[in-house]
Amino acid sequence: MPLSASPTLSVDTLLGPGGALQVALPAYEHRPEQLQMARAVERAFAERSYLLAEAGTGTGKTLAYLVPALLAGRRVVVSTATKTLQDQIFFKDLPLLREKMGLTFEAAYLKGRNNYLCLHRYAAFAQDPQFGSREESRYWPKLKAWAEDTQTGDRSELDLPESFSAWPRLSTTSETCVGTRCPLYETCFVTRMRKRAESADLLVVNHHLFFADLSLRSSGKRTEGVLPYYEAVIFDEAHALEDAASGHFGVGVSNYRLEELARDAVASLKEDDSRHAMLRALSARLRTGADAFFAQAPRALGLSGHESSVALQAEAMGKLSSALGGVREGLAALSAFTAGEREPELAAITRRADELEEQLSFLEKAESSDHVYWAEQRGKGLFLRASPIDVAKELRERMYGALDTVVYTSATLAADSRFDFFARRMGLYGEDGQPVTRVRTLAVPSPFDYPSQAALYLPTHLPDPSAPGFIEAAAEEIIRLCEVSGGRAFVLFTSLRNMVRAYELAAGRLPYQALLQGERPKAQLLEAFRDTPSVLFAAHSFWEGVDVPGDALSLVIIDRLPFASPGDPLVAARIKQLQMRGEEPFEQYQLPQAALALRQGFGRLIRTQSDKGIVAMLDRRIRTKAYGQVFLDSLPDARRVDDLVELSRWFNGPVRPLRALRPVD
């Protein structure tokens, strides 16, 4: 790692006025905010301290942390929430630093195991390829040719449907991989990836991989993760860390996971092996027990519909004790039969069966006061889950003791101009309220001129979001707003139900292409949106991590303030925990969380210094409730408008009459 040895290289000589970046890119304008952040990151590495850095959109924060990280002379992990940013860092920003600025370093791009072809599983699958449909089978010739030629094994090289059902049988997870006992371990794509990572100065990963690796290492059961030893971590898009961490520090059992175990058990031995018939019988026994349990579970647990969740209570699990016993017996029999066998596949079956039995017991008792338990139904999948209510303790115990340098950065870290909310959620304060390590904070504003580039439309004539007729009135407003902007709009919803209903009401009346989240893969929706003036109705995944600069996106409409549903089991448990501590959950958790989420939605609009556009908030509570001021204070200083004619004049110049509307069916 030679960079730190050169006295001529520093964040100032690289990013400062007249520095290497400005020389390499003549059109580039020096950004004081970028240099300010880079110096703060440089100081964190020098002091071996923690930094919370909020950097507004357009600051250039990626280079602001990459440059000091590469100069630090230490192996650094950069973790992101989205694949989009991961790709940008590895394929755009790092080549710029290497090719245009003369920096010498090695970098590695790492994904979860399930993104890579497993050579061992592929060999078994190829002997008898089975597909979920005739349509899927048509990909087999292309997949075979790719498997014989690929140098990385990365699924992203293939144009496979996201729902390609055969992929789980062609890849592994940390649970299903047999590790060093695999006969193809040395040629394995994941092994090769890890070896490249061991010689790299910088590792580019995502939050899910980072915490999957951390939870494996800190569980005490297994020591080999995907990531090699590292000395510092930079979390970009750090606002998404809590959800990513809570998922990996918990446990989960599903019908899919049990079915996969039964299927893998059968496939672990060839049919001419004398043990195969017994293994097939034991797998069938496990399937029978699992099918009986998951058939009874929805009614017993109180689940309703294919997209629902409910808190998991020990009493409800008690109603399923007989069916659960059948699953346990199936797991125990499978484990007993495969225990002590030499084949790595059979050893893995033993381990997986034991882990599932242990996790089922933990879920059945539902007695840990530190965890929230819930059941969730999604389509054909039924999931029993338990997660830590508060990841703060987990992070203190699993991560902070081993790392002296951590940088958290995002465009949205501060709530009500303070970092306290994020710092407490991340465990940077102990239970006594004192910092657990040296923590510095920095907030650098966006260089964008929001008063001239953005308007915030705040109507008060719409019904309250909880009142009957809200979504019908909102659909009318959406149509009028799209007339102002000429389409080119994201319409963001806090619920799938409202998203679908608004689309049904408005899509047929819009003279623009109307797109609906879920109808196509996300990448295809964005491509269609950029190609043709469109109106995209979306929720959840489009609130953040989506970058559409330029005229293609000129309007962002938000249906209601993004308060997390108190009916969500994890949210409800966090509220209850705060109440038990004597704290006020609305002011200390629900409100700051929603304010940060709204800032993320707002951030989809202005992405460059030449962008101009409108953010429309259809929830009147931002103007009529006292807490609405917290939301307004958290947003950029855009021009505020409450009249459509004035809004059209600001956006389009001279007033033009709005198109007459047909009544809603």
Side-chain angles (χ1 to χ4, degrees):
M1 301 182 189
L3 292 179
S4 59
S6 173
T8 61
L9 293 177
S10 69
V11 296
D12 284 84
T13 61
L14 293 172
L15 299 177
L21 180 60
Q22 197 162 17
V23 172
L25 302 174
Y28 178 83
E29 295 183 2
H30 166 62
R31 306 179 201 181
E33 300 89 356
Q34 183 183 60
L35 185 58
Q36 184 183 2
M37 178 177 167
R39 288 169 174 165
V41 175
E42 182 180 51
R43 181 176 183 178
F45 274 96
E47 294 180 339
R48 298 180 181 264
S49 62
Y50 284 30
L51 172 67
L52 308 182
E54 179 175 279
T57 306
T59 303
K61 64 180 171 62
T62 310
L63 293 183
Y65 63 68
L66 286 177
V67 168
L70 291 169
L71 293 175
R74 303 162 71 187
R75 177 176 290 143
V76 182
V77 170
V78 173
S79 180
T80 74
T82 61
K83 183 178 181 296
T84 301
L85 182 54
Q86 204 177 357
D87 286 346
Q88 176 199 309
I89 292 170
F90 194 79
F91 297 110
K92 180 181 176 183
D93 296 325
L94 290 177
L96 170 68
L97 293 175
R98 184 184 289 114
E99 297 164 13
K100 299 292 186 180
M101 299 175 67
L103 299 185
T104 303
F105 58 87
E106 294 295 328
Y109 184 126
L110 294 91
K111 301 179 183 179
R113 293 177 185 271
N114 64 325
N115 289 282
Y116 299 93
L117 180 72
C118 171
L119 294 173
H120 189 46
R121 287 192 161 210
Y122 170 74
F125 183 89
Q127 293 179 11
D128 183 25
Q130 298 290 326
F131 298 93
S133 66
R134 181 177 297 178
E135 181 64 30
E136 282 198 354
S137 68
R138 294 173 183 165
Y139 288 91
W140 179 232
K142 181 178 180 181
L143 199 155
K144 276 200 305 181
W146 168 78
E148 294 169 4
D149 185 60
T150 179
Q151 298 300 304
T152 68
D154 188 341
R155 172 184 169 161
S156 66
E157 295 176 346
L158 275 172
D159 185 23
L160 287 177
E162 290 185 7
S163 59
F164 189 68
S165 63
W167 187 256
R169 284 172 279 153
L170 294 164
S171 62
T172 62
T173 64
S174 58
E175 180 183 45
T176 59
C177 179
V178 297
T180 55
R181 300 185 66 184
C182 177
L184 299 175
Y185 178 77
E186 290 301 325
T187 55
C188 168
F189 291 116
V190 173
T191 302
R192 289 190 236 170
M193 173 192 70
R194 195 175 191 278
K195 286 182 177 178
R196 287 194 297 272
E198 286 173 347
S199 62
D201 307 305
L202 192 80
L203 311 176
V204 184
V205 307
N206 59 53
H207 297 342
H208 288 286
L209 178 60
F210 180 87
F211 286 113
D213 179 82
L214 184 64
S215 64
L216 275 178
R217 293 175 183 278
S218 56
S219 66
K221 295 180 180 179
R222 296 154 76 183
T223 57
E224 183 181 337
V226 175
L227 305 184
Y229 170 76
Y230 51 87
E231 301 168 89
V233 179
I234 298 172
F235 292 113
D236 201 342
E237 300 176 312
H239 59 274
L241 278 177
E242 184 173 21
D243 288 340
S246 63
H248 287 286
F249 293 152
V251 299
V253 176
S254 67
N255 57 326
Y256 293 141
R257 195 173 167 197
L258 286 163
E259 168 60 30
E260 186 178 38
L261 174 62
R263 185 182 67 235
D264 289 349
V266 174
S268 62
L269 290 176
K270 295 181 179 179
E271 290 191 15
D272 58 2
D273 191 297
S274 60
R275 298 165 293 175
H276 185 269
M278 177 58 75
L279 202 54
R280 181 179 290 278
L282 292 173
S283 297
R285 178 181 177 183
L286 176 59
R287 277 195 180 97
T288 300
D291 288 347
F293 173 76
F294 285 104
Q296 298 175 36
R299 177 175 292 183
L301 300 178
L303 287 164
S304 57
H306 292 294
E307 300 289 336
S308 60
S309 62
V310 64
L312 196 60
Q313 306 288 347
E315 298 173 18
M317 289 295 284
K319 299 175 186 177
L320 295 164
S321 58
S322 177
L324 194 56
V327 180
R328 274 218 191 86
E329 290 171 6
L331 289 168
L334 191 59
S335 174
F337 182 76
T338 55
E341 298 290 344
R342 295 181 179 179
E343 292 89 339
E345 294 87 353
L346 296 182
I349 296 298
T350 304
R351 171 178 52 79
R352 291 166 61 187
D354 290 345
E355 286 180 359
L356 275 164
E357 198 284 327
E358 180 183 339
Q359 293 182 10
L360 273 173
S361 296
F362 183 76
L363 290 161
E364 181 184 21
K365 294 172 184 175
E367 62 184 8
S368 171
S369 59
D370 293 335
H371 284 70
V372 56
Y373 299 79
W374 78 99
E376 182 179 13
Q377 194 160 17
R378 295 203 313 266
K380 296 180 180 179
L382 199 156
F383 306 81
L384 308 180
R385 304 186 189 276
S387 290
I389 298 172
D390 188 349
V391 301
K393 180 181 177 183
E394 302 286 340
L395 292 173
R396 286 195 294 267
E397 293 178 353
R398 296 174 187 251
M399 188 172 77
Y400 293 159
L403 289 173
D404 57 26
T405 307
V406 180
V407 175
Y408 300 89
T409 186
S410 170
T412 54
L413 286 187
D416 200 16
S417 301
R418 295 172 59 88
F419 288 92
D420 297 34
F421 171 73
F422 178 82
R424 291 183 186 281
R425 301 308 301 175
M426 288 294 101
L428 295 173
Y429 291 99
E431 294 182 1
D432 59 359
Q434 297 300 312
V436 298
T437 186
R438 181 189 297 179
V439 181
R440 296 188 182 277
T441 62
L442 172 74
V444 293
S446 169
F448 297 152
D449 182 4
Y450 281 105
S452 65
Q453 288 186 255
L456 180 60
Y457 176 61
L458 303 170
T460 57
H461 62 272
L462 299 176
D464 187 277
S466 60
F470 168 74
I471 199 62
E472 288 76 15
E476 291 291 319
E477 200 74 5
I478 289 167
I479 295 169
R480 289 184 176 274
L481 283 163
C482 288
E483 171 72 8
V484 170
S485 65
R488 302 177 296 161
F490 276 6
V491 191
L492 302 178
F493 296 85
T494 57
S495 77
L496 292 173
R497 179 181 298 177
N498 275 0
M499 177 190 77
V500 172
R501 181 58 179 151
Y503 176 82
E504 292 172 345
L505 291 167
R509 300 170 60 200
L510 290 167
Y512 318 104
Q513 175 177 241
L515 304 169
L516 180 66
Q517 177 181 319
E519 285 189 338
R520 309 183 209 174
K522 185 175 180 179
Q524 290 184 19
L525 284 174
L526 286 172
E527 183 179 359
F529 184 89
R530 294 185 180 105
D531 287 347
T532 306
S534 305
V535 180
L536 171 64
F537 293 74
H540 307 310
S541 62
F542 282 86
W543 276 77
E544 58 183 80
V546 176
D547 189 11
V548 184
D551 293 340
L553 178 62
S554 296
L555 170 64
V556 174
I557 304 172
I558 298 172
D559 74 325
R560 59 188 299 166
L561 295 172
F563 286 109
S565 170
D568 179 277
L570 187 54
V571 174
R574 287 171 178 166
I575 290 172
K576 183 178 179 181
Q577 185 186 64
L578 288 168
Q579 290 171 334
M580 292 176 65
R581 294 176 182 169
E583 300 179 46
E584 210 294 305
F586 181 77
E587 292 184 0
Q588 297 190 25
Y589 172 58
Q590 293 166 280
L591 184 57
Q593 183 190 55
L596 289 175
L598 182 61
R599 290 178 65 193
Q600 279 293 323
F602 189 105
R604 297 315 96 215
L605 183 66
I606 304 299
R607 309 300 295 178
T608 73
Q609 291 183 331
S610 61
D611 287 354
K612 180 177 181 179
I614 302 163
V615 173
M617 166 50 69
L618 306 186
D619 189 337
R620 62 184 297 173
R621 294 176 298 175
I622 198 170
R623 294 283 299 274
T624 61
K625 298 291 185 181
Y627 60 72
Q629 195 60 43
V630 173
F631 288 98
L632 292 173
D633 290 345
S634 72
L635 296 175
D637 188 23
R639 179 189 182 100
R640 294 181 186 175
V641 183
D642 59 9
D643 178 76
L644 271 177
V645 173
E646 181 185 350
L647 185 69
S648 182
R649 182 185 299 116
W650 176 83
F651 187 75
N652 295 303
V655 178
R656 61 177 181 177
L658 298 179
R659 181 167 53 88
L661 300 175
R662 299 193 303 272
V664 178
D665 293 334

